[in-house]
């Protein structure tokens, strides 16, 4: 009997197979493959997701940081745009697997690391996401705290005012995440148009107050030669790529609900680079306008909003709260929550994983880390990019070059299936990861090879692709075209068995 059904490029489990696998220790209701009717995210859902996540204070500061390093406005915007066009490639490549087979990131990782080894890339992604969760909670806290002070001058005298705001905002983040990915989709559908309108309103104010775009964008580059520019350009470019490299790994968590490959490809391709490029231009233009209007460069949007009347400040507080909440829940909760529940699928749910993520985010004490925001952003992005680049490379090489998009879906949920490997770990992945991290690390240890570390994410990714593809050539776990046809009921074939999805 065939175990899986492929229709319009979407693969689901056959009814009896799904019922049998539901007893597996590797299966729970959050980690199982999506059913046919659950593939309902449209192009707009994906566009709204990226627009909502791009319109955030960290993205605003990322562009501003490049100006502070000496770039002019168009150099900074082009760096951001190029970085996001590059990171879009691994995002779309990994999204294909999530869309076609309906699997979340921790299950996808079983494919290339094994049923036990999958905890390595899943927890690596989870720890970074939990760190970002705490950081974004703190960014939102300081923004809201400052805006409350601007409205109510006695707020600073309230004992523990910052702690109060942090706990309330942290609780709101955890509550939304606790309700699951569907609540995240609904939040993004609402927040995207609101954030677009607010950003456009801020830009219109800046142009009007500064007397046009000319005075806003007149600051020249501080670099006297191409060499001086490149010294700043490459680390900045890697920072832009690393900014979304976490999402490049766990994008299957979202794309497993895609209505079609076209929906996720078009939605993401149109929204990510466009939203980041446009928002970066807005951030740079508005900041430049503050020099004309206020006599000083205000990189923090909160500092700008506090100069307005109380009604505008209150509206700004709402917008910043929604912005911080959207990116935090969308980008920094789903991956760690899935990774945590994957440790014990029969006992830990997504909701429990979300709560644990929130506690980890608080445990890193982001208020200490964020004392030096600029150095932290670039140091943090560059360092974890060196780790995630090779993992991204392994995932892409496995699905596209090694397996050529052919999977035995049911065996991802079997303890002794082909993707269990030996002892639950695919040691070829471990070797590729170690080499992928070691090669760019040479640039950190040897000054003459510093270009390797400056481009650690891409160097590690390419290295891992080459090593992993070579090690996995003709591996025993591969599914041949003939075998894939034998286990898959294709849409244009009549079926003698029920192909409905399990409805439990």
């Amino acid at each position: 009997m065939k175990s899986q059904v492929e229709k319009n490029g979407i693969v689901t489990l056959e009814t009896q197979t799904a019922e049998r696998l539901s007893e597996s220790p590797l299966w729970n209701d959050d980690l199982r493959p999506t059913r046919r009717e659950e593939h309902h995210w449209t192009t707009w859902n994906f566009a709204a997701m990226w627009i909502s996540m791009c319109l955030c204070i960290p993205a605003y500061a990322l562009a501003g940081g490049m100006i502070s390093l000496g770039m002019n406005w168009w150099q900074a915007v082009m760096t951001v745009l190029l970085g996001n066009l590059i990171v879009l490639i691994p995002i779309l490549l990994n999204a294909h697997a999530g869309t076609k087979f309906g699997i979340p990131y921790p299950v996808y990782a079983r494919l290339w690391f094994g049923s036990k080894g999958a905890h390595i890339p899943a927890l690596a992604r989870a720890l970074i996401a939990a760190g970002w969760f705490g950081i974004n909670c703190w960014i939102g806290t300081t923004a809201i705290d400052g805006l409350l002070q601007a409205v109510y001058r006695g707020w600073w005298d309230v004992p523990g005012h910052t702690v109060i705001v942090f706990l309330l905002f942290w609780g709101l983040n955890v509550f939304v995440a606790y309700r699951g990915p569907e609540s995240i989709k609904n939040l993004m559908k609402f927040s995207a148009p609101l954030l677009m309108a607010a950003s456009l309103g801020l830009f219109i104010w800046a142009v009007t107050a500064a007397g046009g775009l000319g005075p806003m964008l007149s600051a020249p580059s501080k670099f006297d030669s191409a060499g001086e520019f490149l010294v700043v350009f490459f680390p900045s470019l890697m920072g832009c790529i690393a900014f979304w490299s976490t999402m490049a790994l766990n994008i299957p968590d979202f794309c497993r609900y895609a209505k079609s490959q076209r929906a996720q490809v078009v939605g993401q391709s149109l929204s990510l680079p466009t939203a980041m490029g446009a928002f970066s231009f807005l951030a740079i233009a508005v900041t430049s306008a503050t020099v004309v209007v206020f006599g000083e460069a205000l990189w923090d949007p909160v500092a700008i909003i506090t100069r307005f009347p109380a009604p505008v400040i209150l509206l700004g507080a709402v917008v910043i709260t929604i912005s911080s909440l959207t990116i935090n829940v969308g980008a920094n909760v789903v991956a760690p929550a899935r990774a945590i529940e994957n440790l014990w699928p029969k006992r830990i749910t997504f909701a429990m994983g979300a709560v644990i993520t929130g506690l980890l985010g608080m445990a890193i004490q982001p208020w200490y880390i964020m004392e030096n925001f600029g150095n932290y952003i670039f140091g943090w992005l560059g360092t974890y990019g060196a780790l995630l680049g090779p993992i991204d490379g392994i995932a892409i090489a496995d699905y596209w070059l090694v397996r050529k998009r052919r999977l035995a879906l049911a065996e991802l949920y079997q303890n002794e299936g082909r993707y269990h490997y030996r002892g639950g770990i695919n040691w070829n992945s471990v070797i590729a990861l170690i080499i992928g991290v070691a090669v760019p690390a040479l640039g950190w240890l040897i000054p003459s090879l510093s270009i390797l570390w400056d481009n650690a994410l891409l160097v590690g990714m390419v290295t891992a692709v080459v090593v992993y593809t070579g090690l996995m050539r003709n591996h025993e776990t591969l599914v041949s075209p003939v075998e894939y046809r034998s286990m898959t009921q294709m849409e244009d074939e009549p079926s003698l068995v029920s192909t409905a999805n399990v409805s439990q």
Side-chain angles (χ1 to χ4, degrees):
M1 184 177 71
K2 297 187 177 184
S3 61
Q4 58 194 39
V5 183
E6 181 172 337
K7 182 178 180 180
N8 298 327
I10 303 294
V11 176
T12 54
L13 288 175
E14 185 272 333
T15 302
Q16 296 181 28
T17 302
E19 291 176 342
R20 174 172 52 84
L21 288 173
S22 65
E23 301 301 320
S24 168
L26 297 178
W27 174 291
N28 71 15
D29 198 50
D30 293 315
L31 296 175
R32 63 168 174 77
T34 46
R35 307 183 185 103
R36 182 77 55 190
E37 65 272 14
E38 291 175 317
H39 284 268
H40 55 75
W41 280 39
T42 64
T43 298
W44 167 245
N45 291 134
F46 287 102
M49 178 185 76
W50 279 113
I51 292 170
S52 299
M53 290 196 295
C54 288
L55 304 186
C56 61
I57 295 177
Y60 192 104
L62 185 65
M66 294 178 197
I67 297 296
S68 68
L69 291 175
M71 292 187 186
N72 60 28
W73 73 269
W74 66 264
Q75 290 171 336
V77 171
M78 292 305 297
T79 301
V80 171
L81 186 59
L82 178 60
N84 282 275
L85 286 172
I86 293 173
V87 79
L88 180 64
I89 296 172
I91 286 174
L92 294 179
L93 292 176
N94 285 328
H96 190 284
T99 301
K100 182 175 182 179
F101 293 96
I103 51 177
Y105 171 61
V107 176
Y108 184 39
R110 294 173 189 171
L111 182 65
W112 15 285
F113 264 87
S115 56
K116 294 181 180 178
H119 297 314
I120 298 172
L123 289 177
R125 169 67 178 94
L127 289 174
I128 293 168
W132 267 119
F133 179 87
I135 290 166
N136 275 284
C137 276
W138 184 248
I139 290 173
T141 294
T142 55
I144 297 168
D145 201 34
L147 292 174
L148 286 174
Q149 168 64 13
V151 175
Y152 172 52
R153 297 300 176 182
W155 177 248
W156 239 239
D157 298 324
V158 176
H161 57 88
T162 304
V163 175
I164 294 171
V165 174
F166 178 78
L167 292 177
L168 289 174
F169 188 62
W170 177 90
L172 179 61
N173 278 263
V174 172
F175 173 75
V176 174
Y178 185 88
R179 295 175 61 85
E182 283 302 294
S183 67
I184 298 170
K185 183 192 78 170
N186 294 330
L187 172 67
M188 291 172 174
K189 188 191 306 183
F190 163 76
S191 64
L194 174 64
L195 296 174
M196 290 173 65
S199 300
L200 183 60
L202 187 61
F203 179 72
I204 292 173
W205 165 83
V207 173
T208 303
L213 283 175
M216 295 168 58
L217 306 177
S218 59
S221 169
K222 297 179 181 178
F223 305 115
D224 296 324
S225 66
E228 290 181 2
F229 170 73
L230 293 177
V231 169
V232 172
F233 169 73
F234 283 115
S236 298
L237 180 66
M238 290 304 105
C240 292
I241 297 172
F243 194 83
W244 293 121
S245 65
T246 51
M247 284 292 289
L249 275 178
N250 78 290
I251 195 63
D253 287 327
F254 299 94
C255 289
R256 63 193 296 234
Y257 301 105
K259 191 173 184 178
S260 65
Q261 294 289 359
R262 183 180 184 279
Q264 63 90 2
V265 170
V266 173
Q268 297 193 98
S269 299
L270 292 180
S271 57
L272 171 57
T274 304
M276 281 295 286
F279 191 58
S280 297
F281 173 75
L282 182 148
I284 293 165
V286 172
T287 302
S288 300
T290 62
V291 177
V292 178
V293 178
F294 302 120
E296 60 178 321
L298 300 177
W299 298 108
D300 184 354
V302 175
I304 300 173
I305 294 173
T306 56
R307 306 293 181 99
F308 286 88
V312 178
I313 295 175
L314 288 174
L315 179 61
V318 172
V319 172
I320 288 174
T321 299
I322 293 174
S323 172
S324 299
L325 178 65
T326 301
I327 186 175
N328 217 16
V329 175
N332 302 321
V333 173
V334 175
R338 292 278 188 237
I340 291 168
E341 72 171 325
N342 190 49
L343 293 172
W344 199 356
K346 287 300 181 183
R347 295 296 181 90
I348 301 177
T349 64
F350 176 87
M352 293 171 60
V355 174
I356 294 172
T357 298
L359 294 173
L360 287 173
M362 187 185 295
I364 70 165
Q365 303 181 72
W367 42 89
Y368 289 118
I369 296 175
M370 295 306 294
E371 286 180 346
N372 193 328
F373 185 77
N375 290 340
Y376 173 75
I377 281 292
F378 291 105
W380 163 257
L381 291 175
T383 300
Y384 80 58
L387 172 63
L388 294 190
I391 297 176
D392 258 326
I394 292 169
I396 293 167
D398 184 273
Y399 182 72
W400 289 93
L401 302 179
V402 175
R403 303 188 193 280
K404 297 179 172 59
R405 307 183 301 284
R406 295 188 296 268
L407 311 183
L409 182 57
E411 295 195 54
L412 285 168
Y413 297 88
Q414 296 174 354
N415 253 334
E416 300 303 323
R418 74 178 70 202
Y419 307 124
H420 183 69
Y421 296 93
R422 295 180 182 177
I425 300 175
N426 179 11
W427 290 101
N428 290 332
S429 291
V430 176
I431 293 171
L433 175 59
I434 293 172
I435 296 176
V437 172
V439 170
L442 290 174
W444 182 63
L445 297 171
I446 304 173
S448 61
L449 299 177
S450 60
I451 190 173
L452 296 178
W453 184 252
D454 290 342
N455 300 277
L457 190 150
L458 291 183
V459 171
M461 182 185 294
V462 173
T463 301
V465 167
V466 173
V467 173
Y468 185 80
T469 302
L471 292 174
M472 291 294 289
R473 184 176 300 167
N474 300 321
H475 197 269
E476 59 187 8
T477 62
L478 304 189
V479 176
S480 68
V482 174
E483 187 180 7
Y484 186 79
R485 296 280 297 186
S486 71
M487 69 175 64
T488 308
Q489 177 66 44
M490 307 302 290
E491 61 174 334
D492 57 347
E493 296 177 353
S495 175
L496 298 179
V497 298
S498 170
T499 59
N501 292 298
V502 60
S503 59
Q504 61 187 23

